Amino acid sequence: QKEVEQNSGPLSVPEGAIASLNCTYSDRGSQSFFWYRQYSGKSPELIMSIYSNGDKEDGRFTAQLNKASQYVSLLIRDSQPSDSATYLCAVGGERGSYIPTFGRGTSLIVHP
Amino acid sequence: NAGVTQTPKFRILKIGQSMTLQCAQDMNHNYMYWYRQDPGMGLKLIYYSVGAGITDKGEVPNGYNVSRSTTEDFPLRLELAAPSQTSVYFCASSYFKGTSVYNEQFFGPGTRLTVL
């Protein structure tokens, strides 16, 4: 049974700060990693995907992957109140195992 | 493109009733999925499909059925509704080639179902 663990939070950060969201996974063969943002009452929206060790940057978002430690994180720079949402980590299994497993999500609150 | 659409947005069912949740996508995606999300929980996979005519069970399939007669549509059938099926249901789709690891999912707006 693949497991994806996230701290449920809430993680509270002041506006302008860096928010750091973390995710660990159990399947060492996992090859694909996703971060989805979900506003209250809305559907998940893909914001980042990462497939190789290291950092991937897209605007204010940086995804970091460390396969040796089975750890993936999402950094949000210059956090805005509009970033307040639940962030879901999803992990895809070995090549050919195409169904991502989702964590429970971390609630982020950015206060002015 | 409309993306992934779902109907209805909300529904209240009585115990024992049946209904079909509709899902359609216009992105020519081959893979489609049904998830349920309970409060404070992540997404639980109910059923998925890798193409027209092919479906398979996910983590929580009991009480549900699916069919996929076309690439675009993937309805979810609830038979004999129970209070435990009160949840938010999301349909998703993706384009996946079996030789790659890329499988980015796009979600519909969801259906909020209450069973009383």
Side-chain angles (χ1 to χ4, degrees):
Chain A
Q1 177 80 10
K2 291 183 277 191
E3 293 185 354
V4 178
E5 300 289 340
Q6 295 181 256
N7 187 323
S8 61
L11 173 66
S12 182
V13 301
E15 185 174 356
I18 296 175
S20 178
L21 304 161
N22 305 315
C23 174
T24 59
Y25 59 95
S26 63
D27 185 349
R28 187 169 289 278
S30 298
Q31 302 243 3
S32 52
F33 307 86
F34 310 92
W35 283 100
Y36 288 83
R37 177 177 62 200
Q38 186 175 25
Y39 292 115
S40 181
K42 301 296 185 182
S43 59
E45 171 193 13
L46 179 69
I47 54 172
M48 291 287 287
S49 57
I50 186 167
Y51 304 95
S52 303
N53 273 331
D55 294 1
K56 179 182 178 183
E57 186 175 319
D58 184 0
R60 295 187 296 111
F61 299 98
T62 299
Q64 298 176 317
L65 175 61
N66 184 326
K67 289 186 179 179
S69 300
Q70 295 175 238
Y71 178 95
V72 58
S73 64
L74 179 70
L75 301 179
I76 306 175
R77 290 182 300 282
D78 189 23
S79 295
Q80 301 297 310
S82 58
D83 295 325
S84 298
T86 295
Y87 290 80
L88 301 170
C89 173
V91 177
E94 294 185 22
R95 191 178 296 266
S97 173
Y98 40 79
I99 310 294
T101 299
F102 283 81
R104 293 187 177 191
T106 297
S107 174
L108 173 66
I109 299 172
V110 181
H111 54 86
Chain B
N1 285 353
V4 181
T5 58
Q6 292 183 239
T7 57
K9 286 187 171 56
F10 305 93
R11 184 72 186 266
I12 298 175
L13 283 181
K14 294 182 179 178
I15 294 172
Q17 287 185 319
S18 300
M19 76 165 293
T20 299
L21 281 65
Q22 301 291 344
C23 174
Q25 53 91 11
D26 62 359
M27 297 176 283
N28 202 30
H29 284 170
N30 51 350
Y31 286 68
M32 295 187 75
Y33 316 80
W34 275 105
Y35 291 92
R36 60 175 287 171
Q37 186 176 39
D38 299 322
M41 304 294 286
L43 296 164
K44 301 284 189 185
L45 183 66
I46 304 172
Y47 271 96
Y48 63 96
S49 169
V50 304
I54 306 171
T55 62
D56 207 348
K57 296 178 180 179
E59 188 180 354
V60 290
N62 291 344
Y64 307 95
N65 273 300
V66 293
S67 60
R68 189 152 177 219
S69 56
T70 67
T71 299
E72 294 78 20
D73 300 297
F74 190 40
L76 177 71
R77 178 81 177 163
L78 276 71
E79 305 282 2
L80 298 175
S84 61
Q85 293 178 305
T86 294
S87 190
V88 180
Y89 292 83
F90 291 106
C91 179
S93 71
S94 66
Y95 180 73
F96 180 72
K97 290 176 66 174
T99 55
S100 83
V101 299
Y102 303 104
N103 190 18
E104 299 172 349
Q105 296 172 301
F106 296 85
F107 285 81
T111 295
R112 188 175 298 273
L113 176 68
T114 302
V115 182
L116 301 175

PDB file of all heavy atoms in Angstrom, chain A residues 33-56:
ATOM      1  N   PHE A  33       5.769  13.281  -9.331  1.00  0.00           N
ATOM      2  CA  PHE A  33       5.374  13.966  -8.109  1.00  0.00           C
ATOM      3  C   PHE A  33       4.640  15.248  -8.488  1.00  0.00           C
ATOM      4  O   PHE A  33       5.089  15.985  -9.371  1.00  0.00           O
ATOM      5  CB  PHE A  33       6.614  14.281  -7.265  1.00  0.00           C
ATOM      6  CG  PHE A  33       7.448  13.061  -7.021  1.00  0.00           C
ATOM      7  CD1 PHE A  33       8.414  12.673  -7.950  1.00  0.00           C
ATOM      8  CD2 PHE A  33       7.250  12.279  -5.901  1.00  0.00           C
ATOM      9  CE1 PHE A  33       9.167  11.518  -7.756  1.00  0.00           C
ATOM     10  CE2 PHE A  33       7.992  11.131  -5.697  1.00  0.00           C
ATOM     11  CZ  PHE A  33       8.956  10.747  -6.626  1.00  0.00           C
ATOM     12  N   PHE A  34       3.529  15.473  -7.813  1.00  0.00           N
ATOM     13  CA  PHE A  34       2.653  16.582  -8.192  1.00  0.00           C
ATOM     14  C   PHE A  34       2.222  17.362  -6.958  1.00  0.00           C
ATOM     15  O   PHE A  34       2.021  16.787  -5.893  1.00  0.00           O
ATOM     16  CB  PHE A  34       1.401  16.057  -8.912  1.00  0.00           C
ATOM     17  CG  PHE A  34       1.703  15.089 -10.033  1.00  0.00           C
ATOM     18  CD1 PHE A  34       1.746  13.725  -9.792  1.00  0.00           C
ATOM     19  CD2 PHE A  34       1.933  15.541 -11.309  1.00  0.00           C
ATOM     20  CE1 PHE A  34       2.024  12.833 -10.815  1.00  0.00           C
ATOM     21  CE2 PHE A  34       2.211  14.663 -12.337  1.00  0.00           C
ATOM     22  CZ  PHE A  34       2.256  13.301 -12.091  1.00  0.00           C
ATOM     23  N   TRP A  35       2.044  18.651  -7.160  1.00  0.00           N
ATOM     24  CA  TRP A  35       1.417  19.497  -6.146  1.00  0.00           C
ATOM     25  C   TRP A  35       0.153  20.104  -6.747  1.00  0.00           C
ATOM     26  O   TRP A  35       0.194  20.708  -7.824  1.00  0.00           O
ATOM     27  CB  TRP A  35       2.350  20.609  -5.691  1.00  0.00           C
ATOM     28  CG  TRP A  35       3.407  20.134  -4.744  1.00  0.00           C
ATOM     29  CD1 TRP A  35       4.710  19.847  -5.029  1.00  0.00           C
ATOM     30  CD2 TRP A  35       3.255  19.897  -3.341  1.00  0.00           C
ATOM     31  NE1 TRP A  35       5.370  19.440  -3.895  1.00  0.00           N
ATOM     32  CE2 TRP A  35       4.500  19.456  -2.849  1.00  0.00           C
ATOM     33  CE3 TRP A  35       2.184  20.012  -2.442  1.00  0.00           C
ATOM     34  CZ2 TRP A  35       4.710  19.137  -1.500  1.00  0.00           C
ATOM     35  CZ3 TRP A  35       2.390  19.684  -1.115  1.00  0.00           C
ATOM     36  CH2 TRP A  35       3.633  19.254  -0.648  1.00  0.00           C
ATOM     37  N   TYR A  36      -0.972  19.924  -6.023  1.00  0.00           N
ATOM     38  CA  TYR A  36      -2.240  20.504  -6.420  1.00  0.00           C
ATOM     39  C   TYR A  36      -2.667  21.504  -5.347  1.00  0.00           C
ATOM     40  O   TYR A  36      -2.475  21.276  -4.150  1.00  0.00           O
ATOM     41  CB  TYR A  36      -3.322  19.424  -6.542  1.00  0.00           C
ATOM     42  CG  TYR A  36      -3.155  18.513  -7.735  1.00  0.00           C
ATOM     43  CD1 TYR A  36      -2.304  17.420  -7.685  1.00  0.00           C
ATOM     44  CD2 TYR A  36      -3.867  18.746  -8.914  1.00  0.00           C
ATOM     45  CE1 TYR A  36      -2.142  16.582  -8.781  1.00  0.00           C
ATOM     46  CE2 TYR A  36      -3.717  17.901 -10.006  1.00  0.00           C
ATOM     47  CZ  TYR A  36      -2.858  16.836  -9.930  1.00  0.00           C
ATOM     48  OH  TYR A  36      -2.700  16.004 -11.018  1.00  0.00           O
ATOM     49  N   ARG A  37      -3.284  22.574  -5.775  1.00  0.00           N
ATOM     50  CA  ARG A  37      -3.860  23.553  -4.869  1.00  0.00           C
ATOM     51  C   ARG A  37      -5.376  23.381  -4.916  1.00  0.00           C
ATOM     52  O   ARG A  37      -5.972  23.256  -5.986  1.00  0.00           O
ATOM     53  CB  ARG A  37      -3.489  24.966  -5.304  1.00  0.00           C
ATOM     54  CG  ARG A  37      -4.089  26.088  -4.469  1.00  0.00           C
ATOM     55  CD  ARG A  37      -3.564  27.434  -4.965  1.00  0.00           C
ATOM     56  NE  ARG A  37      -3.946  27.684  -6.349  1.00  0.00           N
ATOM     57  CZ  ARG A  37      -3.324  28.556  -7.137  1.00  0.00           C
ATOM     58  NH1 ARG A  37      -2.289  29.254  -6.682  1.00  0.00           N
ATOM     59  NH2 ARG A  37      -3.726  28.732  -8.373  1.00  0.00           N
ATOM     60  N   GLN A  38      -6.005  23.411  -3.748  1.00  0.00           N
ATOM     61  CA  GLN A  38      -7.447  23.266  -3.671  1.00  0.00           C
ATOM     62  C   GLN A  38      -8.016  24.346  -2.756  1.00  0.00           C
ATOM     63  O   GLN A  38      -7.810  24.322  -1.541  1.00  0.00           O
ATOM     64  CB  GLN A  38      -7.843  21.877  -3.168  1.00  0.00           C
ATOM     65  CG  GLN A  38      -9.333  21.617  -3.213  1.00  0.00           C
ATOM     66  CD  GLN A  38      -9.721  20.198  -2.819  1.00  0.00           C
ATOM     67  OE1 GLN A  38      -8.991  19.522  -2.090  1.00  0.00           O
ATOM     68  NE2 GLN A  38     -10.868  19.739  -3.297  1.00  0.00           N
ATOM     69  N   TYR A  39      -8.733  25.282  -3.346  1.00  0.00           N
ATOM     70  CA  TYR A  39      -9.445  26.280  -2.564  1.00  0.00           C
ATOM     71  C   TYR A  39     -10.688  25.638  -1.961  1.00  0.00           C
ATOM     72  O   TYR A  39     -11.224  24.677  -2.511  1.00  0.00           O
ATOM     73  CB  TYR A  39      -9.828  27.473  -3.426  1.00  0.00           C
ATOM     74  CG  TYR A  39      -8.652  28.307  -3.899  1.00  0.00           C
ATOM     75  CD1 TYR A  39      -8.325  28.404  -5.252  1.00  0.00           C
ATOM     76  CD2 TYR A  39      -7.872  29.019  -2.995  1.00  0.00           C
ATOM     77  CE1 TYR A  39      -7.254  29.171  -5.688  1.00  0.00           C
ATOM     78  CE2 TYR A  39      -6.800  29.789  -3.417  1.00  0.00           C
ATOM     79  CZ  TYR A  39      -6.496  29.850  -4.764  1.00  0.00           C
ATOM     80  OH  TYR A  39      -5.428  30.614  -5.178  1.00  0.00           O
ATOM     81  N   SER A  40     -11.125  26.202  -0.854  1.00  0.00           N
ATOM     82  CA  SER A  40     -12.279  25.655  -0.154  1.00  0.00           C
ATOM     83  C   SER A  40     -13.498  25.582  -1.072  1.00  0.00           C
ATOM     84  O   SER A  40     -13.873  26.569  -1.706  1.00  0.00           O
ATOM     85  CB  SER A  40     -12.596  26.526   1.065  1.00  0.00           C
ATOM     86  OG  SER A  40     -13.689  26.007   1.764  1.00  0.00           O
ATOM     87  N   GLY A  41     -14.083  24.400  -1.182  1.00  0.00           N
ATOM     88  CA  GLY A  41     -15.274  24.218  -2.001  1.00  0.00           C
ATOM     89  C   GLY A  41     -15.000  24.081  -3.488  1.00  0.00           C
ATOM     90  O   GLY A  41     -15.948  24.019  -4.284  1.00  0.00           O
ATOM     91  N   LYS A  42     -13.738  24.025  -3.862  1.00  0.00           N
ATOM     92  CA  LYS A  42     -13.369  23.941  -5.279  1.00  0.00           C
ATOM     93  C   LYS A  42     -12.618  22.635  -5.549  1.00  0.00           C
ATOM     94  O   LYS A  42     -12.327  21.863  -4.651  1.00  0.00           O
ATOM     95  CB  LYS A  42     -12.475  25.124  -5.680  1.00  0.00           C
ATOM     96  CG  LYS A  42     -13.117  26.476  -5.462  1.00  0.00           C
ATOM     97  CD  LYS A  42     -14.350  26.669  -6.344  1.00  0.00           C
ATOM     98  CE  LYS A  42     -14.906  28.070  -6.210  1.00  0.00           C
ATOM     99  NZ  LYS A  42     -16.137  28.240  -7.042  1.00  0.00           N
ATOM    100  N   SER A  43     -12.309  22.417  -6.815  1.00  0.00           N
ATOM    101  CA  SER A  43     -11.612  21.189  -7.201  1.00  0.00           C
ATOM    102  C   SER A  43     -10.097  21.408  -7.189  1.00  0.00           C
ATOM    103  O   SER A  43      -9.628  22.540  -7.259  1.00  0.00           O
ATOM    104  CB  SER A  43     -12.080  20.739  -8.588  1.00  0.00           C
ATOM    105  OG  SER A  43     -11.831  21.747  -9.548  1.00  0.00           O
ATOM    106  N   PRO A  44      -9.317  20.336  -7.094  1.00  0.00           N
ATOM    107  CA  PRO A  44      -7.857  20.469  -7.137  1.00  0.00           C
ATOM    108  C   PRO A  44      -7.385  20.992  -8.485  1.00  0.00           C
ATOM    109  O   PRO A  44      -7.919  20.643  -9.542  1.00  0.00           O
ATOM    110  CB  PRO A  44      -7.368  19.033  -6.916  1.00  0.00           C
ATOM    111  CG  PRO A  44      -8.511  18.341  -6.250  1.00  0.00           C
ATOM    112  CD  PRO A  44      -9.734  18.948  -6.827  1.00  0.00           C
ATOM    113  N   GLU A  45      -6.343  21.820  -8.413  1.00  0.00           N
ATOM    114  CA  GLU A  45      -5.766  22.436  -9.607  1.00  0.00           C
ATOM    115  C   GLU A  45      -4.263  22.163  -9.584  1.00  0.00           C
ATOM    116  O   GLU A  45      -3.589  22.476  -8.602  1.00  0.00           O
ATOM    117  CB  GLU A  45      -6.032  23.937  -9.589  1.00  0.00           C
ATOM    118  CG  GLU A  45      -5.317  24.720 -10.659  1.00  0.00           C
ATOM    119  CD  GLU A  45      -5.374  26.220 -10.404  1.00  0.00           C
ATOM    120  OE1 GLU A  45      -5.759  26.626  -9.285  1.00  0.00           O
ATOM    121  OE2 GLU A  45      -5.019  26.981 -11.296  1.00  0.00           O
ATOM    122  N   LEU A  46      -3.736  21.589 -10.647  1.00  0.00           N
ATOM    123  CA  LEU A  46      -2.312  21.272 -10.706  1.00  0.00           C
ATOM    124  C   LEU A  46      -1.492  22.558 -10.758  1.00  0.00           C
ATOM    125  O   LEU A  46      -1.738  23.431 -11.591  1.00  0.00           O
ATOM    126  CB  LEU A  46      -2.019  20.424 -11.941  1.00  0.00           C
ATOM    127  CG  LEU A  46      -0.563  20.032 -12.157  1.00  0.00           C
ATOM    128  CD1 LEU A  46      -0.119  19.037 -11.088  1.00  0.00           C
ATOM    129  CD2 LEU A  46      -0.358  19.426 -13.546  1.00  0.00           C
ATOM    130  N   ILE A  47      -0.509  22.683  -9.848  1.00  0.00           N
ATOM    131  CA  ILE A  47       0.358  23.852  -9.891  1.00  0.00           C
ATOM    132  C   ILE A  47       1.803  23.495 -10.205  1.00  0.00           C
ATOM    133  O   ILE A  47       2.540  24.322 -10.748  1.00  0.00           O
ATOM    134  CB  ILE A  47       0.285  24.689  -8.590  1.00  0.00           C
ATOM    135  CG1 ILE A  47       0.556  23.834  -7.343  1.00  0.00           C
ATOM    136  CG2 ILE A  47      -1.063  25.379  -8.479  1.00  0.00           C
ATOM    137  CD1 ILE A  47       0.682  24.654  -6.074  1.00  0.00           C
ATOM    138  N   MET A  48       2.259  22.300  -9.846  1.00  0.00           N
ATOM    139  CA  MET A  48       3.638  21.910 -10.121  1.00  0.00           C
ATOM    140  C   MET A  48       3.717  20.402 -10.315  1.00  0.00           C
ATOM    141  O   MET A  48       3.015  19.648  -9.639  1.00  0.00           O
ATOM    142  CB  MET A  48       4.570  22.283  -8.970  1.00  0.00           C
ATOM    143  CG  MET A  48       4.810  23.760  -8.763  1.00  0.00           C
ATOM    144  SD  MET A  48       5.869  24.477 -10.041  1.00  0.00           S
ATOM    145  CE  MET A  48       7.454  23.807  -9.567  1.00  0.00           C
ATOM    146  N   SER A  49       4.592  19.994 -11.210  1.00  0.00           N
ATOM    147  CA  SER A  49       4.949  18.586 -11.329  1.00  0.00           C
ATOM    148  C   SER A  49       6.465  18.506 -11.391  1.00  0.00           C
ATOM    149  O   SER A  49       7.128  19.415 -11.911  1.00  0.00           O
ATOM    150  CB  SER A  49       4.323  17.956 -12.569  1.00  0.00           C
ATOM    151  OG  SER A  49       4.701  18.668 -13.735  1.00  0.00           O
ATOM    152  N   ILE A  50       7.034  17.449 -10.838  1.00  0.00           N
ATOM    153  CA  ILE A  50       8.488  17.292 -10.838  1.00  0.00           C
ATOM    154  C   ILE A  50       8.814  15.820 -10.979  1.00  0.00           C
ATOM    155  O   ILE A  50       8.122  14.953 -10.405  1.00  0.00           O
ATOM    156  CB  ILE A  50       9.118  17.920  -9.569  1.00  0.00           C
ATOM    157  CG1 ILE A  50      10.648  17.891  -9.630  1.00  0.00           C
ATOM    158  CG2 ILE A  50       8.590  17.272  -8.300  1.00  0.00           C
ATOM    159  CD1 ILE A  50      11.325  18.765  -8.565  1.00  0.00           C
ATOM    160  N   TYR A  51       9.850  15.524 -11.750  1.00  0.00           N
ATOM    161  CA  TYR A  51      10.148  14.136 -12.071  1.00  0.00           C
ATOM    162  C   TYR A  51      11.608  13.766 -11.778  1.00  0.00           C
ATOM    163  O   TYR A  51      11.962  12.590 -11.751  1.00  0.00           O
ATOM    164  CB  TYR A  51       9.855  13.859 -13.550  1.00  0.00           C
ATOM    165  CG  TYR A  51       8.435  14.194 -13.927  1.00  0.00           C
ATOM    166  CD1 TYR A  51       8.106  15.416 -14.475  1.00  0.00           C
ATOM    167  CD2 TYR A  51       7.408  13.286 -13.698  1.00  0.00           C
ATOM    168  CE1 TYR A  51       6.785  15.733 -14.794  1.00  0.00           C
ATOM    169  CE2 TYR A  51       6.091  13.585 -14.019  1.00  0.00           C
ATOM    170  CZ  TYR A  51       5.804  14.811 -14.571  1.00  0.00           C
ATOM    171  OH  TYR A  51       4.498  15.125 -14.888  1.00  0.00           O
ATOM    172  N   SER A  52      12.463  14.793 -11.572  1.00  0.00           N
ATOM    173  CA  SER A  52      13.888  14.540 -11.347  1.00  0.00           C
ATOM    174  C   SER A  52      14.324  15.149 -10.033  1.00  0.00           C
ATOM    175  O   SER A  52      13.755  16.156  -9.587  1.00  0.00           O
ATOM    176  CB  SER A  52      14.723  15.151 -12.485  1.00  0.00           C
ATOM    177  OG  SER A  52      14.319  14.647 -13.729  1.00  0.00           O
ATOM    178  N   ASN A  53      15.341  14.578  -9.429  1.00  0.00           N
ATOM    179  CA  ASN A  53      15.896  15.145  -8.201  1.00  0.00           C
ATOM    180  C   ASN A  53      16.325  16.591  -8.415  1.00  0.00           C
ATOM    181  O   ASN A  53      16.808  16.962  -9.490  1.00  0.00           O
ATOM    182  CB  ASN A  53      17.125  14.341  -7.761  1.00  0.00           C
ATOM    183  CG  ASN A  53      16.754  13.167  -6.890  1.00  0.00           C
ATOM    184  OD1 ASN A  53      15.748  13.183  -6.179  1.00  0.00           O
ATOM    185  ND2 ASN A  53      17.560  12.122  -6.946  1.00  0.00           N
ATOM    186  N   GLY A  54      16.127  17.402  -7.376  1.00  0.00           N
ATOM    187  CA  GLY A  54      16.549  18.780  -7.447  1.00  0.00           C
ATOM    188  C   GLY A  54      15.367  19.719  -7.346  1.00  0.00           C
ATOM    189  O   GLY A  54      14.325  19.365  -6.800  1.00  0.00           O
ATOM    190  N   ASP A  55      15.569  20.925  -7.840  1.00  0.00           N
ATOM    191  CA  ASP A  55      14.574  21.987  -7.753  1.00  0.00           C
ATOM    192  C   ASP A  55      13.976  22.273  -9.121  1.00  0.00           C
ATOM    193  O   ASP A  55      14.654  22.185 -10.150  1.00  0.00           O
ATOM    194  CB  ASP A  55      15.218  23.267  -7.212  1.00  0.00           C
ATOM    195  CG  ASP A  55      15.690  23.128  -5.775  1.00  0.00           C
ATOM    196  OD1 ASP A  55      15.525  22.031  -5.198  1.00  0.00           O
ATOM    197  OD2 ASP A  55      16.218  24.105  -5.234  1.00  0.00           O
ATOM    198  N   LYS A  56      12.706  22.644  -9.090  1.00  0.00           N
ATOM    199  CA  LYS A  56      12.023  23.117 -10.298  1.00  0.00           C
ATOM    200  C   LYS A  56      11.261  24.367  -9.912  1.00  0.00           C
ATOM    201  O   LYS A  56      10.456  24.341  -8.984  1.00  0.00           O
ATOM    202  CB  LYS A  56      11.082  22.049 -10.845  1.00  0.00           C
ATOM    203  CG  LYS A  56      10.321  22.504 -12.085  1.00  0.00           C
ATOM    204  CD  LYS A  56       9.372  21.409 -12.557  1.00  0.00           C
ATOM    205  CE  LYS A  56       8.570  21.878 -13.754  1.00  0.00           C
ATOM    206  NZ  LYS A  56       7.593  20.839 -14.184  1.00  0.00           N
TER     207      LYS A  56
END
